[in-house]
Structures are given as structure tokens and as C-alpha cells.
Amino acid sequence: MTSSGDEQCYRVPPAEIAEVVDAPPPPEFEADPTGVWLLLKEREALVSIAEQARSQLRLAGIRFDPGTNCVERSHPYTRLTLLHIPTGEARPIGALPTGASIDWLRWSPDGKHFACGVLHDESLSLWIIETQTAEALQCCSRLNSLLGTPFVWEPDGQALLALAIPPGRGEPPRPPQIPTGPIIQETRAGAAPARTYQDLLKNPYDEELFAYYATSELVRVALDGGIDRLGCTGLIRRTESSPDGRFILVDRVNRPFSYLVPWYRFPHTLEVLDRTGRPVRRLAELPLAEEIPIGVDAVPQGPRHVMWRSDADATLLWTEAQDGGDPRVNAPIRDRLFSLGAPFEGEPQLLTSLELRFAGIQCGDDSLMVVHERWWRERRIRTWHIDPSAPERGAALWFDRSFEDRYNDPGTFLMRRTERGTRVLLSADGGQSLFLVGAGASPEGDRPFLDRFDTATQSTQRLWQSQPPHYERPIRLIDPTRGILLTSQESVSEPPNAVLRELATGAKRRLTRFEHPTPQLAQVHKELLRYQRADGVELTATLYLPPGAKPGDPPRPLLLWAYPREFKNADAAGQVRESPYRFVRLSWASPLYMLMAGYAVLDGPSMPIIGVGEQEANDTYVQQLAASAQAAVDEVVRRGVAHPDRIAVGGHSYGGFMTANLLAHTDLFCAGIARSGAYNRTLTPFGFQSEERTLWEAPDVYFAMSAFVHADKISAPLLLIHGDADDNAGTFPMQSERFYNALKGLGVTARLVMLPHESHHYRARESVKHMLWEMHTWLERHAKGTRALSEPS
């Protein structure tokens, strides 16, 4: 049945749910490079539908407001406050425009200022705030954020490089009144597989619009607001000063544009300029990257990850593929890391060769550089130490492990900001030891830690670890010598707050005291469950019971909300991936709103899809998915939490895809809620999620995994929700529309809700409240068996 006209309006969920939606999230915080200031950042939970419905252009994979020349930001900040760490004094920054959206926050290298982008009065402007006085100054009022971060600090902290809309740009191109001819694309030799990208260019007029809006002028903005034009204009996607401030690395997009891939795979030029904007050396002319092979480890050919070496004056680093960028090619060396210093003449120096794909670099000093490599198919990651002053000595292996194995993850090396604003490895003794921070995963849940790492012996010493009943994670080791550590501490009923710790004495001082934004949830019961799948794989889930409820109460309706993940190792698949002590927080996507209506929620139950050795995980996707769901249902029924006839299943994106498959291949659930999913895998023929095979290489897998093909097996009622402007690769709105038509034609009870102006992540308050109304109404009707709210048609 089609919905009636009077139903085509935004609805509001019950008051106990709606008031939680409207609660602002707790403030976020970050420390300045010197550890003297804490910046507190507040934001609204959601925006209005009026803001979400603002005019947008969708070009080359970008969505932006043509009036502001600004890309859509998820949830910008609305209020900033500076907190002086030594004294605890708070200083509100009141000079910013009321009602403005604030984002792109960047500290100066010395911590004396920070810059931010402010969207107000139809323009994106640059503001600089002095930390000592909390005074704000508007500097440049016509920033261009289309292709990346619109400004970066220079190393001396006295100016910023900014991307501005060129003066005298004129009016945008007008669409042709009469077509100039047909739109023609032609394929020649060479395969060009591509994911199902959205918002691509479609015709020459789109090309002209993209060039018009994406063109920027590089300018230098001083602390007093003065602007120095550097004579560099183009489709600039990135700009960065060398650590000594003498040179500027510029990355510019070129023609020809493509109708097959987004802008970041268009041709581009990497060039070094001097401080005044004059060209010094053209490093690379990179071609259109339409022919990158399919695969997680597939990369374009030519220089990539081009960056300044953070511990040197002016030295460039980059990596280049040695296997044509194709992970299917057998090659002893996959990548090579190169270096080239000022004046950027001659041939680059080879620093190291990698058997796996380059995965990052951390610089320390002339004798210390840490290089990471990884290979997706093997789930392998290795960490090497090299001496950049003598690369001929070779690399020393520090870590070699599976990145799926969270229990044995040594952590990540801590970095510090230099006086030039670059990031280098943090050490308290000249590089003899470094510091590692990690999740501290264990069967009891995550317990973040701080370790000291001896570079000579590769041994570690535990300096600190989070203790129950809190979840606490390191933010900054402010003083390595004295052991002063800044952390974020939270518990089930306490939001994250900043804490200053003295490691030697154990003394601590709370810097913030943020209150619970939704005290209604403070009494929610949260419990980490462990159970087994029929094949012996260990599984986990987090069980939530409504405020005031407790284990042992009579069974209640339950919503199981999940998202499948692929693994190569069954032991790793069974590892705990959460902490029982984390704050119960709500985002727009959370299923926990249903707690306020009396439902139990089983959040994040493990749905591992495991492919051991040469076996691909998705070869047995349906069987493994059904087995995991069966184990989760058996566990909550065994505990007496839920009645087997009153369990609904739901998920978002790949979780929505999971939901449809579970309804098609099991009879475990009384109803389903699938949001923004893809249900017909033949519409994503060049791979999806972690599937690297194409439809033509594994047609049986694509067929078996497509819930659309098995729609005739679905009998439980299914609610489909989708943003009508979904921008995610593969989850076209058509996926839900065609799936609904199939269910309707087969006589399955289903409802399709298309949310106007929403993309893959819903932003508008009206949309989210309506989504929750739909979910609550569906559960009331099909899981609880009542009709407390008006019944959907």
C-alpha cells in the first residue's frame, strides 16, 4: 500500500526519545603543542533540515554549497573555550560571529595562536585567535575548501598559507541553452575497473563548473591579517611549507578530467616553489588514475605519499610502487621509499625497499626513522627502523604481526610537535627510548596503556594503564621527563573529561567536569557478553538494558544491531573489541535510543566472516552470518533477556545489507530495519567492502550474497530507510527503491522511507527524529505487538 498524503510529513518519536535526540553532546577537547592550553569545542548534535536542504552542487565526487564555495562538513563546532591547564582558568572566545559554524581548527607551532575556518554570512573566512587574550581576528574572508584543508601554518607561526577564491573570478559558467553535441566516452586498450562512485562529472559543462569552483589562489596571511599574494593559481589540492620555511610543496589538479573516477584520481602536478611562489622543481606529472587495479593494496604508479621530512630542513620523502601498483602481480619488492633534499637537484636517494605496501613513516632524527608496511590479503603489518643518514646499513625489523590481532598490538609510537610545527617521534633520552600508546585489548575489554620502548633491545616497560571502572586513554605526554600525562577519562555514566596525571606519584587532577548530557541514560545497564558460534569461534556483544532494568527481569523485546567484518584468522575474529567501561553515548546512528522506549539492545554482536588461508571469506558469507546470528539469539534467550519471538534485527550500510540477508536466510527475527544498504551486489560489480574479486570472477558469490535475488525467501516485515542523496560508493538510493519494489511484488510486508537531502550519514534533526519515529513505530508493531503510535500504512 502506498502512503497517504497526510503521512508525508516529518514525525517525532515519543518524548522520552526526542528529548535525548535534542541533548547536545559533551564538549570535545585538545591540547596545544606546548601542553599549556586546552581547547574545549562544543557542537550541536544535529543541524536543521533547512540547513541540510541548502543548494548544493555535486561535481567530481564533491558536494558543496556554491554560495559559500564550501564543502559540507558533518557537524561543525558552535562554541570554543580556552582552558589554561596550569591554573584551570577558562576563557570563552566570544568575538566569533554568533551562529557561525566553526571548523578546520589548527594550532600554531608555538601554541600562542590557533586558526579556524568560520562559515558565516555566505562565506568561509579565516580567523586567528590569540591564546593569551582569547581575542579573535578575521583575516581572509573568501577561503576555498573544495579540494582540501583551506589553510596551514607556516613553521615560524607568524603566518599561514591559505587557499583563497581568486579576486575578480566573475560569475559561474552558465549552462548551454542548446547542446553542443552528444556526450561520448570510449574505452581503448587497458582495463579501467572502478568502484561505483557517486556525484561524478557528466558533461563538459560539469567540467567547467568544477574548474571554476575548485580554482584557488595561494596567499600568505600574517597574524595582523595582512595578505601576500604568491602568484600561484590553479586547482590546488594541497600546499605545505618545508620545515625551515624556505620552500612550498604544491599539488595541483590538471586536465583531462574524468567521468569515471572522482577528482582525487585526476591528473595532478607536484611542484616545489620558493617562499615567494617562484618554481624551483617540478617533482612529478601524474596521469589520470582510471586504470588502478581492483584490490585493497592497489595503488597508482609514480610518486605518492609525497611529504616533507619532519626532522630535516627541506627534504622530500615519497614512495613509488615497483609492481605496477597491482597486488596480483608477484613481485619481491612492492614499494621503494625515496628522499631528495634541497636544492632538489640530481637523482633521489633510495632509503629502503619494502616487500609489502608502504603504510606510513615516523621521523625522529638523523639516525632514527620508523617505516611501516602492510599487506591486506595476509593481514600483515611490519615496522622497521632505518638510519636515514646511512640507508646502506639496511633496516632493522621491530614488529611483524597480524593487524587483526588486537591482543598483541604493541601500540603506536607517540609523536611531539617541534618548534617548527612538524611532528617527530617523542623521546626523553635522545632516541634511546620511545613511547607507545595502545588500546590494551584483552578478553576483559580494552584498557589503554602507555609503554616505554627501548630502541636497542626492542623491549617495553609498562608506565601506565587504564584501570576499572574507568576507560581512560592517553592524549598527550606533556612532559616525558617528569612523566606528566594528559588523558581522557570516562565511565559508563560519566562523559569523557580531561585528566592530568603524574606517573611517578599517581597523583591526578581533573581539568574538566562535563556533566552527563542525557542523565536519563545514567542508569542504563551495560554488560559485555562472551559466547561461542557453533563452529567454536568466540564471539562478543554489548548488552544494554533500559534505565532501571537489570538482569533477571522478565524477557523484553530486543533489537539486535550489527555490522559484519571480514577476518583471515578465527582467533582474531573472536577477540573483544570494546570496553565495558566506556561512556554510553548516542550519535544519530545509534540504536540505543530504543532503550528509552523499554527495549533491550544487543549492540555490535560479532558477525565475523572468516576466510582462512587461500579461502575467501565471502565464499561462505551466508552460512557464517547465519551462524553468528543464531549464536547471539541463543545467548540472549539463554540469559532470559529476550523472548525468541520478540527479537528484531537492524543495521546501517553494510549492516543494512546484513539485515536483509538474515531475513532471507534465517527465521530468527520477527522484524528487520535496514538503513542505507546495498542489496543487489551485481550493481557493485568491481568489488565491495573487502571483496577484491569482480562479479565476473566470482559470480556465484555475488549471487549468493545479494539479498535482492533471495527476496522471495523473506517473510518477516522489513523497514527500509535511505537518504535520497546518498553519496556513499555502492549504496545508491536505487538499491533500496528496487529492493522495496521486489518485496512489494512478492507480497512481503515492507515500508520504504526516503529521507530528503540526506546522504549516507543523516545530519538533519528532523530527519533523525523521523527515522527514530519510523524505527520505534515498526518495533512497536512487529516486535512488541502493540500499536502505541499511529500505524504505518
Side-chain angles (χ1 to χ4, degrees), residues 212-541:
Y212 171 85
Y213 284 106
T215 297
S216 300
E217 178 186 27
L218 181 61
V219 300
R220 178 176 289 110
V221 183
L223 293 178
D224 62 3
I227 296 178
D228 180 18
R229 301 174 65 186
L230 301 181
C232 176
T233 302
L235 280 69
I236 303 173
R237 58 189 245 168
R238 177 181 161 223
T239 179
E240 184 181 2
S241 289
S242 60
D244 64 3
R246 292 189 299 145
F247 302 98
I248 304 171
L249 175 65
V250 175
D251 188 349
R252 280 184 276 204
V253 172
N254 306 319
R255 294 179 184 268
F257 301 150
S258 170
Y259 297 175
L260 184 65
V261 294
W263 68 272
Y264 51 82
R265 289 174 64 172
F266 291 178
H268 59 115
T269 301
L270 288 156
E271 189 173 22
V272 177
L273 312 179
D274 69 12
R275 180 174 170 79
T276 67
R278 290 180 297 185
V280 174
R281 172 161 176 165
R282 182 162 293 183
L283 185 65
E285 289 273 7
L286 298 170
L288 177 65
E290 281 188 344
E291 299 180 4
I292 300 177
I294 287 293
V296 176
D297 291 311
V299 296
Q301 298 187 62
R304 67 183 202 282
H305 298 297
V306 181
M307 68 193 86
W308 293 110
R309 181 174 154 183
S310 60
D311 64 318
D313 286 340
T315 298
L316 288 168
L317 300 172
W318 70 87
T319 187
E320 292 189 40
Q322 306 300 302
D323 57 0
D326 190 346
R328 302 189 185 195
V329 171
N330 291 322
I333 300 298
R334 294 289 179 180
D335 275 341
R336 285 199 167 108
L337 181 65
F338 295 97
S339 171
L340 183 65
F344 313 107
E345 298 173 350
E347 293 300 313
Q349 180 186 30
L350 174 64
L351 291 182
T352 191
S353 297
L354 302 173
E355 296 178 5
L356 312 181
R357 191 68 76 207
F358 175 80
I361 189 169
Q362 294 169 290
C363 299
D365 54 35
D366 287 341
S367 63
L368 176 60
M369 182 180 288
V370 176
V371 179
H372 308 276
E373 60 174 349
R374 59 178 273 164
W375 197 247
W376 165 257
R377 184 172 290 274
E378 298 173 359
R379 308 301 197 268
R380 188 180 185 188
I381 186 167
R382 298 198 292 190
T383 298
W384 300 87
H385 163 236
I386 64 172
D387 182 345
S389 67
E392 67 277 4
R393 295 178 183 173
L397 182 63
W398 278 359
F399 304 122
D400 185 354
R401 64 183 191 86
S402 167
F403 58 75
E404 288 184 339
D405 183 4
R406 301 183 74 244
Y407 290 175
N408 292 295
D409 185 350
T412 303
F413 288 111
L414 274 181
M415 309 292 286
R416 68 174 178 89
R417 289 280 183 183
T418 69
E419 62 278 0
R420 293 169 162 179
T422 61
R423 289 168 56 84
V424 298
L425 288 161
L426 176 63
S427 173
D429 48 18
Q432 295 180 17
S433 61
L434 304 175
F435 297 93
L436 288 162
V437 294
S442 74
E444 287 69 46
D446 289 359
R447 290 178 54 202
F449 64 83
L450 171 68
D451 282 355
R452 186 189 298 271
F453 176 80
D454 188 303
T455 59
T457 65
Q458 288 89 64
S459 61
T460 58
Q461 174 192 0
R462 183 64 41 93
L463 301 179
W464 173 88
Q465 187 162 21
S466 177
Q467 298 296 326
H470 292 100
Y471 174 87
E472 191 170 358
R473 60 184 179 87
I475 300 296
R476 173 84 57 81
L477 188 55
I478 292 177
D479 189 332
T481 304
R482 294 171 52 213
I484 306 299
L485 178 66
L486 176 68
T487 69
S488 172
Q489 184 187 78
E490 62 188 273
S491 70
V492 173
S493 59
E494 298 172 321
N497 275 283
V499 172
L500 204 61
R501 288 187 167 274
E502 294 183 12
L503 299 182
T505 65
K508 68 175 184 178
R509 175 165 66 95
R510 288 189 62 169
L511 301 176
T512 61
R513 295 188 179 275
F514 303 136
E515 296 181 353
H516 200 307
T518 51
Q520 309 94 311
L521 291 170
Q523 300 305 313
V524 162
H525 173 82
K526 178 181 179 181
E527 183 179 356
L528 183 64
L529 307 186
R530 301 177 184 83
Y531 51 99
Q532 275 192 353
R533 205 163 71 177
D535 58 2
V537 174
E538 298 288 336
L539 304 177
T540 62

Side-chain angles (χ1 to χ4, degrees), residues 85-197:
I85 293 176
T87 64
E89 178 190 357
R91 302 179 183 179
I93 301 169
L96 296 176
T98 302
S101 296
I102 307 165
D103 217 330
W104 293 287
L105 301 165
R106 298 290 185 274
W107 285 101
S108 66
D110 57 11
K112 293 181 179 179
H113 299 84
F114 71 87
C116 61
V118 177
L119 185 60
H120 184 66
D121 290 339
E122 301 300 317
S123 69
L124 178 64
S125 57
L126 171 63
W127 288 69
I128 300 176
I129 293 87
E130 184 182 14
T131 52
Q132 192 64 38
T133 63
E135 293 181 353
L137 173 69
Q138 182 178 358
C139 298
C140 179
S141 62
R142 290 173 58 82
L143 292 178
N144 191 341
S145 71
L146 247 65
L147 301 185
T149 303
F151 53 83
V152 292
W153 282 97
E154 291 203 305
D156 61 5
Q158 299 302 302
L160 300 101
L161 293 176
L163 299 179
I165 296 173
R169 180 174 67 172
E171 295 297 316
R174 293 187 175 185
Q177 297 298 313
I178 301 174
T180 57
I183 309 303
I184 299 172
Q185 299 184 63
E186 181 179 0
T187 179
R188 297 182 181 178
R195 298 276 183 165
T196 44
Y197 298 112

